[in-house]
Amino acid sequence: MSQPDKIARYIDEVCKQIASKEIHPAIRLELEGHFAEKIADYRDAGHTKEAVTAQAIAEMGDPVSNR
């Protein structure tokens, strides 16, 4: 699975937890921005492309946990 696909799947899981479909686009945009910032920070620190996505997802936490 490609790195962008992993992020998209994570965001999909977050949106599944939110009943109000009208706010899904805003949530997607917000999370995409957070991921872009985290990935840029990790790349600037010299991490590999493969590692940055995994690190960013891990830092964002479980997309299904409600706590």
Side-chain angles (χ1 to χ4, degrees), residues 30-66:
E30 182 77 17
L31 289 174
E32 287 168 356
H34 287 303
F35 273 113
E37 289 174 10
K38 289 181 180 300
I39 288 170
D41 289 345
Y42 286 129
R43 283 191 181 158
D44 289 347
H47 297 274
T48 65
K49 183 178 180 180
E50 294 77 23
V52 298
T53 299
Q55 289 170 313
I57 289 172
E59 192 173 316
M60 294 291 279
D62 185 346
V64 179
S65 176
N66 57 1

Side-chain angles (χ1 to χ4, degrees), residues 4-49:
D5 288 342
K6 289 179 182 179
I7 292 171
R9 191 170 82 194
Y10 179 96
I11 294 171
D12 288 345
E13 286 300 318
V14 170
C15 286
K16 285 180 187 177
Q17 308 309 306
I18 301 165
S20 178
K21 305 275 189 239
E22 300 83 32
I23 64 170
H24 285 194
I27 291 168
R28 287 182 180 283
L29 186 61
E30 182 77 17
L31 289 174
E32 287 168 356
H34 287 303
F35 273 113
E37 289 174 10
K38 289 181 180 300
I39 288 170
D41 289 345
Y42 286 129
R43 283 191 181 158
D44 289 347
H47 297 274
T48 65
K49 183 178 180 180

